[in-house]
């Protein structure tokens, strides 16, 4: 029985990019990938423009909340994708690390968040194809 890959998305506040990526991966992978997200300095709440942009796609992330980055979640991951968290993410052997350079949606309105969401969705779809080849 094949192992289901575990993906961890990390950004600074876990209020925008990493939350969108986690929701999109969970949605598109349909159980073929386990997904988590975390922040090196978690915010108090999700970015409202991010919540609205995801709702436009039929994905309700309004009940999500920013989570702290811990060694345990990094150790559990097979793939760690950082999005502007700098050197805050611990590095462990045997993990795949990717850095997605994306604009930070902090302080942006929904019109500026949509292109970020769409870039994340394209990357997530490519990631799913890569992770699930042969499953």
């Amino acid at each position: 029985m094949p192992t289901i890959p575990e993906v961890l998305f990390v950004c600074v506040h876990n209020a925008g990019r990493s939350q969108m990526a986690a929701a999109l991966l969970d949605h598109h992978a349909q159980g073929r990938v386990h997904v988590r997200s975390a922040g090196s300095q978690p915010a108090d709440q999700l970015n409202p423009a991010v919540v609205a942009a995801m709702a436009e796609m039929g994905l309700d992330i309004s009940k999500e909340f920013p989570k702290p980055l811990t060694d345990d979640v990094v150790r559990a991951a097979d793939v760690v994708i950082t999005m502007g968290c700098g050197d805050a993410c611990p590095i462990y052997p045997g993990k795949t690390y990717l850095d997605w350079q994306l604009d930070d949606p902090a302080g942006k309105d929904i019109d500026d968040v949509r292109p970020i969401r769409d870039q994340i969705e394209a990357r997530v779809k490519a990631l799913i194809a890569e992770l699930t080849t042969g499953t």
Side-chain angles (χ1 to χ4, degrees):
M1 186 164 175
T3 305
I4 296 176
E6 177 91 26
V7 175
L8 171 65
F9 291 104
V10 182
C11 66
V12 176
H13 299 299
N14 191 224
R17 293 168 289 190
S18 57
Q19 291 281 352
M20 287 191 286
L24 287 162
L25 180 57
D26 186 59
H27 173 72
H28 289 300
Q30 300 178 339
R32 295 175 291 164
V33 176
H34 289 154
V35 62
R36 294 182 186 196
S37 69
S40 55
Q41 298 173 7
D44 294 332
Q45 64 182 13
L46 295 190
N47 177 329
V50 165
V51 174
M54 296 303 288
E56 288 181 342
M57 300 181 77
L59 299 176
D60 181 6
I61 64 169
S62 64
K63 303 242 185 312
E64 294 296 329
F65 59 92
K67 295 167 262 330
L69 178 64
T70 65
D71 275 355
D72 289 343
V73 295
V74 177
R75 287 181 198 270
D78 299 302
V79 178
V80 178
I81 300 174
T82 58
M83 304 172 168
C85 69
D87 296 330
C89 191
I91 305 293
Y92 293 104
K95 311 280 179 213
T96 298
Y97 290 88
L98 303 171
D99 185 48
W100 289 359
Q101 296 293 318
L102 298 158
D103 288 340
D104 188 346
K108 292 184 173 23
D109 65 24
I110 192 166
D111 290 333
D112 294 326
V113 170
R114 285 184 191 112
I116 300 167
R117 176 201 64 198
D118 295 346
Q119 288 174 13
I120 292 171
E121 184 175 35
R123 290 179 187 216
V124 159
K125 286 180 176 179
L127 178 67
I128 292 167
E130 186 178 318
L131 293 176
T132 62
T133 299
T135 60

